[in-house]
Amino acid sequence: MDYRHLGRTGIRVSELSLGSWVTFKNQVDVKAAVEIMTAGYDAGVNFFDNAESYESGKSEEVMGAALKQLKWRRGSYLVSTKIYWGLHDGVNEKNTLNRKRLIEGINGSLERFQLEYVDILYCHRSDKTTPIEETVWAMHNIIEWGKAMYWGTSEWDADEIVKAIEIAEKHHLHKPITEQPQYNLFERTRFEKEYARVFKDYGYGSTIWSPLASGMLTGKYQNGIPKKSRGALKGYEWLHGRLTDKAKIAKVDSLGKIAGELGCSTAQLALAWCLKNPNVSTVITGATSVKQVQENMKAVEVVPELTPDVMNQIDKVFDVNKEEEEE
Ligand SMILES: NC(=O)c1ccc[n+]([C@@H]2O[C@H](COP(=O)([O-])OP(=O)(O)OC[C@H]3O[C@@H](n4cnc5c(N)ncnc54)[C@H](OP(=O)(O)O)[C@@H]3O)[C@@H](O)[C@H]2O)c1
């Protein structure tokens, strides 16, 4: 496992990391979380991602309970959480990055994790109604109080990221250091086009999500939705359309053939493809079993196999230009 600097900071993240969306509490209890996190940690993972909205805070509780059992040195790993959607319907408590909510939010997360601080605190989406100044000051204060080490954004517009950085620089405040965007073979445009300037001009980091498009890029949805899969979970029916999309299934089929020629699994090839991009600081993987973690962690070994010729073959399968025209 290699470690990449998270943007222009001194902190380094394992190139593959582990997140808890959908899985922890829903599919994975504390015992399984201990096993899954151990499999990642043993392979070199040092970054574990979470959010207050995941299973309404219960995902943080499961990860916190697992960390308590694991008794790892706090300096040996990084934990993150994210705030935006909130846990209650109050007018100041949902879909917001106001100062009160951010401060109450981090306090609640730390209580659920049973931790003194998180390493990265993200604004889970941008809030068009709260002035960015207010959010930047609140995040700065949270860092100054020692409740978070760094802060970042998730799915903010590039313009909003630049504005936040400029406000922080003007007032000598802690700047956001990393984005958390979706990036996978089906979802490339925002990462590769819109964010190009924040990577180049500001050295912004990226902790990318859904690298396997919720599991689709493993090839497990080629013959319908398996009973034991994310696609079959209650509450995730909104994924069905894309998991059964014939054009996407055909692309995964072709990707599987390239993987076969390289002697790796389709999942490993899809993850290695994300790792190949130097603007990716870490690929946040998700898993419901130790077996999946073990398979996914071996993706690092596939990266050297991705020659320009293989990358061209993959581009051709995913019809990059055609997708751009469609958008
Ligand atoms: N910032 C944001 O807005 C945002 C949004 C989404 C996610 N995230 C973060 O990104 C992390 C990763 O996202 P994700 O879970 O969507 O990642 P993903 O890699 O696209 O999907 C992970 C899921 O695919 C299946 N899977 C993984 N490896 C497999 C393998 N080798 N073989 C077969 N199936 C496999 C598992 O589901 P089943 O076994 O249930 O099929 C697993 O839970 C999240 O945990 C979260 O921390 C952030």
Side-chain angles (χ1 to χ4, degrees):
M1 183 76 72
D2 278 338
Y3 297 84
R4 301 183 182 183
H5 277 277
L6 188 50
R8 278 187 196 147
T9 69
I11 209 79
R12 289 198 290 166
V13 280
S14 48
E15 54 189 354
L16 290 175
S17 46
L18 204 56
S20 66
W21 179 55
V22 187
T23 56
F24 281 28
K25 181 66 187 175
N26 197 8
Q27 300 167 287
V28 169
D29 61 10
V30 175
K31 183 173 171 286
V34 165
E35 289 165 5
I36 285 171
M37 289 169 74
T38 300
Y41 191 77
D42 287 350
V45 167
N46 76 346
F47 170 43
F48 299 90
D49 185 63
N50 215 317
E52 69 165 12
S53 61
Y54 296 170
E55 299 303 309
S56 305
K58 300 233 162 27
S59 172
E60 292 176 325
E61 286 175 6
V62 169
M63 189 176 275
L67 286 168
K68 201 161 191 176
Q69 281 188 31
L70 286 161
K71 294 194 174 78
W72 295 332
R73 232 173 346 92
R74 186 65 184 87
S76 71
Y77 64 90
L78 306 159
V79 175
S80 68
T81 196
K82 317 184 203 78
I83 300 173
Y84 170 75
W85 279 289
L87 297 173
H88 302 282
D89 280 340
V91 66
N92 291 313
E93 297 175 278
K94 64 171 183 180
N95 305 350
T96 179
L97 297 175
N98 73 61
R99 178 177 178 82
K100 175 174 160 67
R101 178 78 257 286
L102 288 171
I103 293 167
E104 289 174 355
I106 185 62
N107 288 339
S109 288
L110 294 178
E111 220 175 288
R112 287 186 292 276
F113 273 127
Q114 304 180 64
L115 289 174
E116 282 174 27
Y117 60 89
V118 293
D119 297 280
I120 310 159
L121 178 62
Y122 293 91
C123 296
H124 210 157
R125 289 293 179 268
S126 66
D127 170 4
K128 315 284 181 201
T129 67
T130 297
I132 293 187
E133 283 86 349
E134 179 173 336
T135 297
V136 173
W137 272 101
M139 296 303 264
H140 169 78
N141 289 143
I142 287 168
I143 291 176
E144 286 291 288
W145 297 331
K147 291 171 193 262
M149 295 292 175
Y150 300 92
W151 75 279
T153 53
S154 181
E155 299 291 347
W156 281 32
D157 297 343
D159 284 346
E160 293 168 327
I161 295 169
V162 170
K163 196 168 173 202
I165 293 173
E166 285 174 351
I167 290 166
E169 283 179 342
K170 183 171 164 201
H171 299 286
H172 303 287
L173 307 176
H174 294 286
K175 307 182 235 197
I177 56 140
T178 185
E179 234 298 313
Q180 186 167 135
Q182 182 173 190
Y183 187 50
N184 59 52
L185 278 160
F186 291 124
E187 292 289 336
R188 308 172 51 154
T189 314
R190 187 171 217 195
F191 189 93
E192 292 177 5
K193 304 270 188 271
E194 182 182 340
Y195 292 145
R197 69 182 170 115
V198 290
F199 298 138
K200 184 167 170 283
D201 298 346
Y202 299 91
Y204 216 51
S206 75
T207 62
I208 64 143
W209 59 267
S210 286
L212 296 175
S214 275
M216 187 163 192
L217 288 162
T218 64
K220 73 197 293 177
Y221 293 98
Q222 296 309 90
N223 300 308
I225 299 175
K227 272 201 185 112
K228 266 193 88 184
S229 69
R230 179 177 295 180
L233 291 176
K234 208 165 165 260
Y236 291 86
E237 294 79 7
W238 55 272
L239 281 173
H240 288 183
R242 67 180 84 150
L243 295 174
T244 55
D245 181 292
K246 284 203 174 96
K248 285 190 162 156
I249 286 171
K251 287 175 184 177
V252 177
D253 200 45
S254 304
L255 185 72
K257 290 192 177 114
I258 301 174
E261 280 161 24
L262 294 174
C264 65
S265 70
T266 313
Q268 288 165 340
L269 179 55
L271 294 172
W273 177 87
C274 296
L275 284 170
K276 182 87 178 164
N277 189 324
N279 288 325
V280 170
S281 313
T282 183
V283 173
I284 313 178
T285 63
T288 54
S289 69
V290 167
K291 195 166 159 253
Q292 289 178 359
V293 177
Q294 287 169 341
E295 176 184 342
N296 296 347
M297 293 298 134
K298 290 209 182 89
V300 296
E301 294 166 17
V302 179
V303 182
E305 309 294 324
L306 300 187
T307 59
D309 178 49
V310 174
M311 291 299 273
N312 281 337
Q313 285 179 46
I314 295 173
D315 272 351
K316 233 170 136 188
V317 167
F318 286 86
D319 221 349
V320 178
N321 293 330
K322 195 169 163 231
E323 268 182 9
E324 277 170 2
E325 276 166 24
E326 282 166 1
E327 277 172 13

